[in-house]
Amino acid sequence: RMSVRDSGDGTGWVGDVALNASLEQRLQRLCDAFNQSPFCKLIGLNMQVVHGEIQAVLDMQPSLIGNVAYEILHGGVAASVLDSIGGIVAMGEIYRRNEGELIEQISKVSRLATIDMRVDYLRPGRGHEFVATAQVLRMGRKGCTMRMDMVDHEGQLIATGTAAYGY
């Protein structure tokens, strides 16, 4: 089995990507790598593949509350979750499009970084669970634009964002 492993150039954090891995396996490996990151562990963010799409799930915890009186999710946490889902879905889309050699795709994925992001808070973040998803608005040669949504446990949209990522 051939695979791309950490060669000291920063590409290893995207997971052990087998050359013959299916798209679903590559998406799962991205989720596994994100879920092991210190930040995701700190806030309890869990990336998962559901019906071939990556989504982020965040369980409410007392440490994530911004407004103590009303027990509302901190806006910075919501923005971070939106940024994270936008980035990982963009990474998955690089693999999904299957353009160029695998090593080129991995190189883009490993360099992907947020350039700009806007968040609109639509409702207070109340509830016990939040789910974030993202869609590609545009993929280009050097970057992409994403739209991200976060819903509460009742499926109500509480925040939305758009972001530009470079690679």
Side-chain angles (χ1 to χ4, degrees):
R1 174 184 157 185
M2 295 184 65
S3 64
V4 178
R5 297 184 188 274
D6 190 357
S7 59
D9 62 0
T11 60
W13 81 269
V14 299
D16 178 17
V17 180
L19 295 175
N20 60 350
S22 69
L23 175 62
E24 185 94 7
Q25 290 170 322
R26 290 180 185 174
L27 296 179
Q28 186 58 56
R29 296 236 170 91
L30 279 174
C31 290
D32 294 344
F34 261 72
N35 292 340
Q36 292 305 309
S37 75
F39 179 73
C40 287
K41 285 182 171 185
L42 177 70
I43 67 169
L45 183 61
N46 183 41
M47 300 292 185
Q48 54 193 24
V49 180
V50 178
H51 305 298
E53 303 292 331
I54 298 174
Q55 67 179 19
V57 178
L58 180 71
D59 291 328
M60 179 58 115
Q61 305 170 46
S63 61
L64 303 179
I65 293 173
N67 183 319
V68 179
Y70 294 100
E71 296 186 2
I72 297 171
L73 183 68
H74 190 286
V77 174
S80 295
V81 171
L82 290 173
D83 185 26
S84 296
I85 193 65
I88 194 172
V89 170
M91 291 173 180
E93 187 64 19
I94 290 168
Y95 289 135
R96 187 180 311 278
R97 293 188 179 219
N98 202 24
E99 296 170 352
E101 298 292 321
L102 177 60
I103 197 73
E104 295 170 41
Q105 295 170 23
I106 292 171
S107 180
K108 282 184 177 181
V109 166
S110 67
R111 290 191 320 260
L112 191 132
T114 309
I115 296 171
D116 187 43
M117 188 173 82
R118 173 192 167 91
V119 176
D120 291 305
Y121 301 97
L122 307 174
R123 285 188 177 83
R126 291 190 183 100
H128 57 83
E129 182 183 75
F130 305 95
V131 177
T133 57
Q135 302 81 39
V136 176
L137 296 177
R138 181 183 182 279
M139 290 293 287
R141 285 188 349 249
K142 296 183 178 184
C144 61
T145 304
M146 306 293 292
R147 176 194 159 102
M148 302 84 68
D149 293 318
M150 178 184 275
V151 298
D152 63 15
H153 67 282
E154 296 176 342
Q156 291 188 70
L157 189 62
I158 62 166
T160 187
T162 54
Y165 298 89
Y167 38 78

